[in-house]
Amino acid sequence: MTFTQQILTVAILVLATASTRFVPFLIFRGKTTPRYIQYLSQVLPAAVFGMLVVYCLRNVHVMTAPFGIPEAIGVLVTALLHLWKRQMMVSILGGTLTYMLIVQNLTI
């Protein structure tokens, strides 16, 4: 990619991201938010995290070494940190760091 193409790509990504953030406020300005939008705002975060868990664990083979142990420990650390601190970023970061440390240092 040329430098001009890189700049255009970044500009398009910034515009797309900003528009997805601003458009809902423009559409619902001065109006009450519809019930289905309120419902989606309640259920989508959990659905997204559920899909993320499935996506992250889809290629784990529990019948071959290391038998999914690093992934299980990472998930356990994430869950325990979330139950303890109730901070999403702490939970995600702690579980990810734990998993990466195990995978980088585990020799099987």
Side-chain angles (χ1 to χ4, degrees):
M1 248 194 232
T2 66
F3 183 71
T4 304
Q5 290 173 329
Q6 291 175 356
I7 295 294
L8 285 173
T9 301
V10 170
I12 290 169
L13 290 173
V14 167
L15 182 64
T17 302
S19 66
T20 59
R21 301 287 189 226
F22 298 139
V23 168
F25 291 103
L26 296 174
I27 291 173
F28 298 116
R29 182 178 36 170
K31 302 176 188 174
T32 58
T33 307
R35 291 184 67 110
Y36 70 92
I37 299 292
Q38 292 175 358
Y39 171 74
L40 289 175
S41 72
Q42 293 173 352
V43 297
L44 280 180
V48 168
F49 279 107
M51 288 177 20
L52 182 61
V53 168
V54 170
Y55 177 78
C56 289
L57 299 177
R58 76 187 188 287
N59 291 326
V60 174
H61 299 287
V62 295
M63 301 305 265
T64 58
F67 308 107
I69 293 170
E71 292 85 357
I73 293 171
V75 168
L76 182 66
V77 167
T78 303
L80 290 174
L81 280 173
H82 186 70
L83 290 172
W84 178 42
K85 289 291 188 179
R86 299 280 184 199
Q87 295 286 328
M88 180 176 56
M89 291 307 291
V90 171
S91 305
I92 294 171
L93 184 63
T96 302
L97 286 175
T98 301
Y99 171 76
M100 292 307 292
L101 287 170
I102 292 170
V103 170
Q104 296 297 320
N105 296 311
L106 184 67
T107 55
I108 292 181

